[in-house]
Amino acid sequence: MELSKILNREMEAAFAAAGFDASYGRVTVSNRPDLCEYQCNGAMAAAKAYHSAPIGIAEKVAGALKESHIFSQAEAVKPGFINLTLSPVFLAEYAEEMAAADRFGLEATEKKKIVVDYGGPNVAKPLHIGHLRTAIIGDSVKRILRFAGNEVTGDIHLGDWGLQFGQIIEQLKDEKPELPYFDPAFEGPYPEEAPFTLSELERIYPAASARSKTDEEFLKRAHERTYLLQHEDPATKALWDHIMKISIADEKRLYDRLDVHFELWNGESDAAPYVPEVVRTVKEKGLARLSDGALVVDVAEESDKREVPPCIILKSDGAALYQTTDLGTLIMRMQTLDPDVIIYVTDKRQELHFTQVFRTAKKAGIVRPETELIHIGYGTMNGKDGKPFKTRSGGVMRLESLIAEIEDAVREKMKERYEDAEMDEETVKCVGLAAIKYGDLSNQASKDYNFDIDRFASFEGNTGPYIQYTIVRIRSILRKAEEDLSGRPDFRPISEDGGKVKDLFRAIAGFQDMFLTAAKELAPHRICAYIYQLSDCFNSFYHDTAVLKEEDPGKRRAYLKLLQLTERLLLVCCGLLGFDAPERM
Ligand code: ARG
């Protein structure tokens, strides 16, 4: 059970034993850590209800805790606080249980079926830094929810149905008119091999997109081509297949480098067959009305603080929009997976879009009334200067270049530290990934943050490499100790050490509370804050304690088991954030 629950129960029982309502017995972390570890302010609230002085109540409750196994000290202080100190023996036992249990004793919570929709790249454009946050946050949220015991499916939801295909294909037509795809007399079958390479595709797309901005005739053709795609023209579909295959292979390669994975590679195109059902449903429910020829659903609510415009289902030319494909996707997900919760991870600027989609889906009964639809909107990733992150020449930075830059920074730092140590590229990759992911995830998702390569790659401070370094350090001590550390720990020999040892035990014991909060709030930054604190506690404990020189065998073993537990906790938490630790660094 999480520590906070145990402490609350103990305190509730003490209030009851002293003759007061148990609900006053709430324990919080002390706001005066110099005086005590925890505190309870319940006597102050109880004073009003019982018309008696708070200090008297506090004294009675403290008296009821005299024999407590959990609190070694409970002291009533004016005007009516109860200052609490945890029993070191209880703490040590709690840590023993954590070490021996599966998942550190975390009880399986509700087993929900959850879809996490993240990644969402638009096919045919190379992945750039705008795709980084959704990948990192979404993947971590997925890992956290899985660890909590849920059944979680990650779906990339590719942008694979839009105008960019019309643009690319029309540009290709101008460049290579001789291709059979553009010969109306050609009867197929179309070639197996794509008529372009990845790098050609990467050139064609921006060229076509720039051209659309100035060349109206071209833009019109691109729209017509997109219409053909969406109405199953065989030549267009054959080219679409080629574009998809080539660019998805490249995207997979990059997501692999990020160690980000998806169970489903569905896209907007998979939602297309459900669009007619979306239209039928909103019409049947009487929700749809025409507005300037467009089919819309009103979703504004009285309590709205900002204007929420109607959700557009079909444009006046009958075309489906981003909202429509998201509604179609919801129908598909309900039919195929029937999830309890669907979580979308996108830039927070898409908030209105999701408000419109969620409200329409609920009103139209596309999802069940109890289906939870959640949008995690993240802030902007800025450069060191606080302005949107750009390449040196001012362009949008490719994800690939960003990864390379951070790896360069890591390589430099490693050179600095280990002058002649051999540089192992696997380690560079592993540390680089931690630098990027921790740098991102340690910020609350909704906030903007500055991507500072040097700081993120630093081995000191609140960074991924610092956490990894702590793990590596523990491992090296454990290796040197050459002791068989299997079996259940016995922390009694060190439980009364106090000071830094107790701080470390307390940090360890906070795991479940932290994890449950992170899972409830879908907040990876809680995990970062936790492992940063845990690493600090470990490092200052180790600074003060000569573990390997300890002569008492019981104590030595207990210290080593404490290291082992710390290492496991750190490693599991890194796993929840999406990175690992190297053997050496
Ligand atoms: N492709 C979209 C974009 O680039 C993101 C997709 C997010 N997911 C969703 N179901 N709408 O903005």
Side-chain angles (χ1 to χ4, degrees):
M1 197 191 289
E2 63 267 35
L3 187 63
S4 65
K5 216 185 230 171
I6 299 179
L7 305 191
N8 280 331
R9 289 206 177 161
E10 184 76 352
M11 192 48 91
E12 282 160 13
F15 268 81
F20 304 100
D21 197 282
S23 65
Y24 292 108
R26 288 213 67 80
V27 176
T28 53
V29 173
S30 164
N31 54 18
R32 285 289 305 277
D34 52 323
L35 295 180
C36 56
E37 296 166 351
Y38 294 88
Q39 67 187 56
C40 172
N41 304 344
M44 250 81 77
K48 292 197 190 82
Y50 290 94
H51 303 291
S52 97
I55 187 72
I57 297 177
E59 272 161 4
K60 282 192 189 134
V61 174
L65 286 167
K66 277 273 170 299
E67 300 298 309
S68 170
H69 176 61
I70 293 171
F71 298 112
S72 55
Q73 227 182 4
E75 194 192 0
V77 293
K78 277 185 183 154
F81 298 112
I82 305 167
N83 288 351
L84 300 160
T85 303
L86 275 191
S87 144
V89 175
F90 159 75
L91 250 185
E93 285 170 359
Y94 186 86
E96 282 170 15
E97 290 296 327
M98 275 180 78
D102 213 22
R103 302 188 317 150
F104 308 110
L106 199 72
E107 286 154 38
T109 44
E110 254 174 297
K111 211 175 167 205
K112 290 185 183 167
K113 235 192 270 170
I114 303 178
V115 172
V116 185
D117 175 319
Y118 65 106
N122 292 330
V123 175
K125 291 186 207 178
L127 291 185
H128 56 79
I129 57 135
H131 296 111
L132 189 67
R133 296 210 73 190
T134 172
I136 293 179
I137 298 168
D139 194 57
S140 176
V141 165
K142 187 173 86 177
R143 291 167 188 252
I144 292 170
L145 291 171
R146 273 202 185 137
F147 194 77
N150 300 289
E151 191 187 310
V152 194
T153 307
D155 185 356
I156 189 166
H157 199 75
L158 296 167
D160 61 356
W161 208 228
L163 182 64
Q164 78 262 37
F165 291 93
Q167 293 170 323
I168 292 168
I169 295 172
E170 284 306 307
Q171 180 70 22
L172 189 69
K173 186 177 179 188
D174 289 351
E175 291 185 17
K176 299 184 181 175
E178 70 286 356
L179 289 174
Y181 308 91
F182 306 118
D183 176 1
F186 186 79
E187 287 185 350
Y190 291 105
E192 296 266 318
E193 203 177 314
F196 40 73
T197 62
L198 175 68
S199 53
E200 274 178 293
L201 195 59
E202 288 180 348
R203 178 189 55 75
I204 294 175
Y205 179 69
S209 146
R211 191 169 158 200
S212 298
K213 293 198 178 103
T214 52
D215 185 341
E216 258 178 56
E217 198 268 337
F218 178 76
L219 182 61
K220 189 162 160 266
R221 271 168 52 200
H223 275 293
E224 284 161 7
R225 181 61 74 174
T226 309
Y227 182 89
L228 285 181
L229 170 66
Q230 297 178 349
H231 293 81
E232 288 173 45
D233 170 60
T236 309
K237 175 69 171 45
L239 282 169
W240 179 83
D241 283 335
H242 287 310
I243 300 174
M244 288 289 283
K245 213 167 148 202
I246 289 187
S247 58
I248 287 177
D250 190 52
E251 278 167 9
K252 283 210 163 121
R253 180 182 66 83
L254 272 164
Y255 282 117
D256 276 349
R257 269 188 85 172
L258 286 176
D259 204 2
V260 165
H261 309 278
F262 303 92
E263 285 65 46
L264 294 175
W265 281 75
N266 288 339
E268 294 177 5
S269 66
D270 296 289
Y274 296 89
V275 167
E277 195 173 332
V278 172
V279 176
R280 198 169 3 100
T281 309
V282 296
K283 281 185 177 162
E284 271 172 19
K285 298 262 155 130
L287 298 170
R289 69 176 171 91
L290 283 173
S291 163
D292 291 331
L295 189 73
V296 304
V297 172
D298 290 311
V299 289
E301 286 172 8
E302 228 159 87
S303 57
D304 287 339
K305 294 208 175 61
R306 260 183 300 158
E307 194 199 335
V308 180
C311 183
I312 305 176
I313 307 295
L314 293 176
K315 286 201 295 184
S316 52
D317 64 1
L321 290 161
Y322 186 38
Q323 277 101 325
T324 331
T325 48
D326 260 326
L327 289 164
T329 304
L330 275 174
I331 296 184
M332 178 172 77
R333 285 183 179 149
M334 295 310 287
Q335 285 180 8
T336 54
L337 300 163
D338 191 18
D340 305 299
V341 186
I342 307 177
I343 298 166
Y344 298 79
V345 185
T346 76
D347 190 304
K348 68 180 170 198
R349 283 170 289 195
Q350 294 199 23
E351 195 187 314
L352 179 61
H353 164 79
F354 286 106
T355 302
Q356 293 172 316
V357 169
F358 294 173
R359 287 184 183 175
T360 307
K362 285 266 151 120
K363 277 180 119 170
I366 287 175
V367 298
R368 286 179 279 119
E370 67 276 16
T371 311
E372 268 183 88
L373 300 173
I374 299 170
H375 176 223
I376 301 180
Y378 53 79
T380 307
M381 171 178 146
N382 289 319
K384 218 169 155 172
D385 55 2
K387 298 199 188 106
F389 200 94
K390 289 270 150 67
T391 57
R392 281 197 196 89
S393 58
V396 178
M397 186 178 268
R398 282 196 180 200
L399 204 49
E400 184 135 45
S401 321
L402 183 87
I403 298 173
E405 278 201 23
I406 201 110
E407 287 177 359
D408 285 345
V410 168
R411 220 174 276 115
E412 279 307 304
K413 305 257 177 213
M414 304 230 315
K415 254 190 233 155
E416 253 169 52
R417 286 182 86 97
Y418 311 97
E419 281 158 4
D420 41 34
E422 208 163 301
M423 204 70 72
D424 154 18
E425 276 306 303
E426 279 308 305
T427 302
V428 171
K429 283 207 174 101
C430 180
V431 176
L433 207 55
I436 296 181
K437 289 190 172 178
Y438 190 98
D440 188 304
L441 295 172
S442 53
N443 302 284
Q444 202 179 323
S446 61
K447 300 234 165 81
D448 296 350
Y449 78 99
N450 295 356
F451 195 92
D452 182 340
I453 292 182
D454 280 330
R455 190 169 74 72
F456 289 4
S458 168
F459 286 33
E460 282 132 46
N462 189 7
T463 72
Y466 168 66
I467 308 291
Q468 289 179 313
Y469 185 65
T470 306
I471 295 175
V472 167
R473 197 167 173 206
I474 297 178
R475 287 179 178 167
S476 124
I477 303 163
L478 294 178
R479 258 198 308 272
K480 278 193 206 124
E482 289 182 335
E483 190 164 322
D484 174 14
L485 289 174
S486 53
R488 198 187 153 93
D490 178 0
F491 288 136
R492 276 170 306 179
I494 59 169
S495 65
E496 305 281 352
D497 276 16
K500 302 280 166 65
V501 180
K502 192 173 188 197
D503 289 346
L504 182 55
F505 273 123
R506 282 183 60 211
I508 287 173
F511 172 76
Q512 287 201 20
D513 277 301
M514 175 288 294
F515 178 80
L516 293 172
T517 309
K520 188 163 136 244
E521 296 176 356
L522 307 173
H525 74 275
R526 301 252 178 216
I527 294 176
C528 294
Y530 175 73
I531 54 180
Y532 181 44
Q533 187 216 354
L534 183 59
S535 296
D536 271 354
C537 280
F538 165 76
N539 284 311
S540 47
F541 149 75
Y542 189 67
H543 184 266
D544 282 10
T545 318
V547 171
L548 291 174
K549 294 206 184 93
E550 178 56 56
E551 277 164 12
D552 175 327
K555 279 190 105 169
R556 181 183 140 105
R557 188 176 166 80
Y559 284 140
L560 293 173
K561 288 297 275 185
L562 185 60
L563 262 63
Q564 187 190 43
L565 176 57
T566 307
E567 187 242 357
R568 267 179 58 210
L569 269 171
L570 289 174
L571 199 63
V572 164
C573 288
C574 290
L576 296 173
L577 300 173
F579 60 87
D580 202 356
E583 266 322 299
R584 284 156 215 271
M585 66 190 270

